[in-house]
Amino acid sequence: MIDGGRQNQIAVDTAQNTTINSFAGYDTFTVTPQDTARTAVYAYINYGGTVTISWEEMRETANSDVRIFDLLAHKRRNAISSMKDRVNSDLYVAAPAVNDINSLPFLITTTGTVGGIDSAANAWWQSQQNATVGAFPANGLTQMRDLWNDIVRQGQGDPDFTVTTQAVHQLYEAEIDPDVRYDNPDNLGRGAKTLTWKGKPIFFEADMTAGELYTINRKWITLAVDTDGTFTVDEMVKPANQKVFTATLAFRGQLYVTNRRALGRCTGITA
């Protein structure tokens, strides 16, 4: 959670400190200045909406003894749910609109300017990527394995989970060897309640772009949400010339990464 502010400025590592070395006795240390940090800048974004109800509608549903449902409460729930659906959908779009939240495809790739840092001029700011995977039965597991190992090879920790589409998730489930024994039958095997890859959960997201799969380490990606922008619904207000009441609701935050090379994706996955 964040408490206000216009943007988030985060120090990111660009390289290792090359002065590190073994020594013995009276050996001297290297004191060459190290330029190993850059600042990534992420502006917070806002989503807004309204809940409106007329005085007539309120009177029609005022009697709790006879009304079928609480119309105002329904409108509030619907507005909050609609906003959550919009934000969630935007988290997976290929190219976010100017005022929209950053998305996984925008943040986790090998191109583009993210946080004010150009990937083309800074290879250390490029994610791991296996593009045009092709048919999953033939290439899927191999490409997933390569991606996982490429991420681990960066020395920034193991991934925590993998997220993909329902179609790819089902292709993965179909590839699981039913003859292999697993410690927890709920987590792997035919009809499993929870699938895992490399011992970490793999799940699907309805809004994910077709044919894509993301392997993520939570340490390097954050969804920051303002304490006063958590889909908060304000008090109802009434204009002077109408018997109508309106409340605004808002979300404020941003999805950002601090280590792109420790995150990765596969694209172009087909059946």
Side-chain angles (χ1 to χ4, degrees):
M1 300 293 286
I2 55 175
D3 189 13
R6 183 169 180 268
Q7 60 190 20
N8 199 349
Q9 301 185 59
I10 304 163
V12 296
D13 289 333
T14 63
Q16 291 187 327
N17 185 321
T18 60
T19 69
I20 307 302
N21 204 353
S22 59
F23 78 96
Y26 293 94
D27 289 351
T28 59
F29 285 42
T30 301
V31 293
T32 304
Q34 301 292 297
D35 184 11
T36 60
R38 285 280 299 274
T39 300
V41 180
Y42 298 94
Y44 297 126
I45 54 84
N46 309 307
Y47 287 80
T50 59
V51 178
T52 300
I53 190 170
S54 70
W55 172 80
E56 184 177 26
E57 289 173 321
M58 293 177 68
R59 296 314 306 157
E60 289 172 348
T61 58
N63 190 334
S64 59
D65 293 330
V66 297
R67 69 187 179 197
I68 299 175
F69 63 92
D70 186 333
L71 180 60
L72 179 56
H74 169 81
K75 284 176 173 280
R76 285 175 179 266
R77 287 194 302 269
N78 178 267
I80 293 171
S81 176
S82 297
M83 183 174 285
K84 288 181 177 180
D85 287 345
R86 168 61 190 275
V87 173
N88 190 78
S89 176
D90 286 353
L91 287 171
Y92 296 97
V93 299
V98 174
N99 293 321
D100 288 352
I101 196 168
N102 290 334
S103 66
L104 284 185
F106 171 72
L107 295 173
I108 305 177
T109 186
T110 58
T111 60
T113 298
V114 173
I117 302 174
D118 183 6
S119 303
N122 299 278
W124 54 268
W125 196 234
Q126 297 175 6
S127 300
Q128 309 306 311
Q129 178 170 286
N130 290 342
T132 60
V133 171
F136 192 92
N139 308 316
L141 295 182
T142 298
Q143 294 295 317
M144 288 175 65
R145 186 179 301 111
D146 287 346
L147 179 67
W148 184 282
N149 291 339
D150 286 344
I151 292 172
V152 172
R153 186 164 52 85
Q154 305 307 309
Q156 306 299 310
D158 290 352
D160 294 304
F161 66 91
T162 295
V163 58
T164 186
T165 66
Q166 179 180 345
V168 174
H169 189 270
Q170 291 174 185
L171 289 170
Y172 172 74
E173 184 173 13
E175 290 299 308
I176 293 176
D177 185 352
D179 297 325
V180 177
R181 294 183 178 180
Y182 300 102
D183 292 336
N184 188 344
D186 286 340
N187 291 341
L188 281 171
R190 290 199 169 179
K193 297 177 182 177
T194 304
L195 298 182
T196 63
W197 169 245
K198 298 286 188 179
K200 301 298 176 64
I202 174 171
F203 54 90
F204 64 85
E205 168 57 51
D207 292 313
M208 178 73 69
T209 301
E212 295 192 353
L213 174 150
Y214 291 80
T215 297
I216 294 173
N217 184 329
R218 287 191 181 93
K219 182 178 180 180
W220 307 118
I221 188 167
T222 300
L223 177 60
V225 180
D226 194 298
T227 54
D228 195 34
T230 56
F231 306 101
T232 309
V233 181
D234 296 326
E235 294 295 324
M236 287 282 186
V237 295
K238 174 186 171 299
N241 61 346
Q242 282 183 301
K243 294 288 280 185
V244 172
F245 302 86
T246 298
T248 59
L249 69 156
F251 168 88
R252 178 174 173 80
Q254 187 57 282
L255 182 70
Y256 65 88
V257 296
T258 56
N259 192 340
R260 291 183 83 198
R261 68 181 182 274
L263 306 165
R265 72 172 183 171
C266 290
T267 64
I269 304 172
T270 65

